[in-house]
Amino acid sequence: MLKTSVVCFLASYGVAFACEVSQLKRRSTLSRIVSFLFTVAGFVAHTLYLLYRSRQADLPPLLSSAHDWYLVLAWLAVLVHLFVSAVDSELATGLVAWPVILALVVASWFVTDQPGHRLDYDRGWKMLHASTLMLGTVFILLGFVLSLLYLWQHRRLKQRQTSNDSVKLPNLELIERLNRFAILVAVPFQMVGIISGFGLGVFATGGGIPMTWTDPVVIGGIFTGLLVGVLFVWLLIQKRSPGRQIALRTAWACGFLLVTLIGLQMLTAATKWHSIHGSAPTPSANATRGLAP
């Protein structure tokens, strides 16, 4: 087994992003190839790290800790980016996707890496909670990135900058359809994840972490869930709305949700408040996090 760490694949992703940024000045086939290769290398190291963490904790990554949960979210985002790159390597979607992915990897360093679940109780419900919440968050993340792409492309068209051959983006109609689809799919998954999480906190048969209604993560989850739910209803009742209006509301709602989820988890770890996702990390855990034998 190769030695892998968070720093290893974070550096690979950073180089891939730098290559994407270099495309803004001049399109280069070599830069695209280097970016793709570093993305693949980082993705492999990322995968090995998650596998090691899973074996170390004897838990699936979705249940082992908040640290691993964020890294799984980043892993899925990289997987989507690799798929898009394989379909059309000239699309400049990485300029929007990479900052979000890098932020998730960096944020994972500041949340607990200690297991917060025991699978000898309510295993099925815990997997339902973790998997649906993850899927919902992935589609929300996708909606956020698509909204930013739409606003960027809309501005370029308005200012007649599309003649710049160094940047190629999908057409507005395609982005709008994908954006609407991402939100309409995300909200049901998110609601199931939140409801099942409340059920675990209230009706856990044993061995679980008790839920407190004053927990900042619980409060943030309720508020942001309601916010995205309102966006979901608005999309359903709007038969025809300007694409830019949809993109703006989606970007604000999804961006706020992601910042809230990450910020509250970091706040919980920093202040050692007890969270339904696990206990606060210890200094020794922070000193050794990210290293695999």
Side-chain angles (χ1 to χ4, degrees):
M1 177 67 66
L2 297 176
K3 295 183 178 182
T4 60
S5 68
V6 174
V7 175
C8 177
F9 55 81
L10 179 61
S12 295
Y13 294 158
V15 173
F17 178 46
C19 291
E20 292 277 358
V21 173
S22 70
Q23 297 288 315
L24 288 173
K25 293 185 177 180
R26 185 173 62 88
R27 182 180 296 185
S28 168
T29 302
L30 178 61
S31 293
R32 289 200 302 271
I33 293 175
V34 172
S35 177
F36 184 78
L37 291 177
F38 270 93
T39 301
V40 172
F43 185 75
V44 171
H46 197 157
T47 304
L48 292 174
Y49 177 75
L50 287 174
L51 289 174
Y52 168 77
R53 289 280 303 168
S54 179
R55 285 199 298 270
Q56 185 184 47
D58 196 24
L59 290 170
L62 288 179
L63 294 180
S64 55
S65 68
H67 170 73
D68 298 318
W69 197 90
Y70 282 132
L71 288 181
V72 172
L73 181 59
W75 184 89
L76 290 172
V78 176
L79 182 63
V80 173
H81 175 63
L82 279 173
F83 173 77
V84 173
S85 299
V87 172
D88 190 344
S89 62
E90 295 187 355
L91 287 177
T93 54
L95 290 170
V96 178
W98 277 123
V100 179
I101 294 170
L102 293 172
L104 287 171
V105 176
V106 171
S108 72
W109 187 270
F110 297 97
V111 296
T112 177
D113 63 348
Q114 300 302 305
H117 298 270
R118 290 177 57 189
L119 291 186
D120 45 336
Y121 299 99
D122 305 303
R123 180 189 180 99
W125 283 106
K126 287 177 180 176
M127 285 301 299
L128 174 67
H129 166 62
S131 58
T132 53
L133 196 61
M134 172 60 70
L135 289 172
T137 307
V138 166
F139 279 104
I140 287 172
L141 184 66
L142 180 61
F144 178 67
V145 171
L146 287 169
S147 298
L148 296 181
L149 284 173
Y150 186 97
L151 295 172
W152 184 14
Q153 179 71 329
H154 183 273
R155 182 181 179 183
R156 292 177 70 231
L157 290 172
K158 188 176 181 179
Q159 298 180 355
R160 299 181 179 179
Q161 296 177 348
T162 53
S163 59
N164 183 4
D165 292 335
S166 63
V167 177
K168 179 183 177 182
L169 296 176
N171 65 73
L172 291 181
E173 184 180 356
L174 175 60
I175 300 176
E176 181 181 353
R177 289 202 307 266
L178 292 175
N179 186 21
R180 183 185 291 268
F181 172 78
I183 299 303
L184 293 179
V185 172
V187 174
F189 278 123
Q190 196 78 7
M191 290 298 102
V192 172
I194 292 173
I195 293 171
S196 60
F198 288 160
L200 278 171
V202 175
F203 302 109
T205 57
I209 297 174
M211 182 185 71
T212 59
W213 295 103
T214 57
D215 189 316
V217 177
V218 174
I219 296 173
I222 294 174
F223 181 75
T224 54
L226 289 174
L227 180 63
V228 179
V230 169
L231 177 62
F232 174 78
V233 174
W234 181 77
L235 287 175
L236 286 179
I237 63 177
Q238 294 292 325
K239 293 183 179 179
R240 192 67 182 173
S241 298
R244 185 175 182 275
Q245 185 179 7
I246 294 176
L248 276 172
R249 296 191 180 188
T250 303
W252 276 107
C254 296
F256 181 79
L257 183 143
L258 293 170
V259 169
T260 301
L261 287 177
I262 295 173
L264 287 177
Q265 281 286 0
M266 293 173 67
L267 179 65
T268 299
T271 58
K272 299 184 183 297
W273 285 341
H274 200 58
S275 164
I276 58 173
H277 292 291
S279 57
T282 61
S284 61
N286 280 329
T288 59
R289 178 183 293 157
L291 300 180

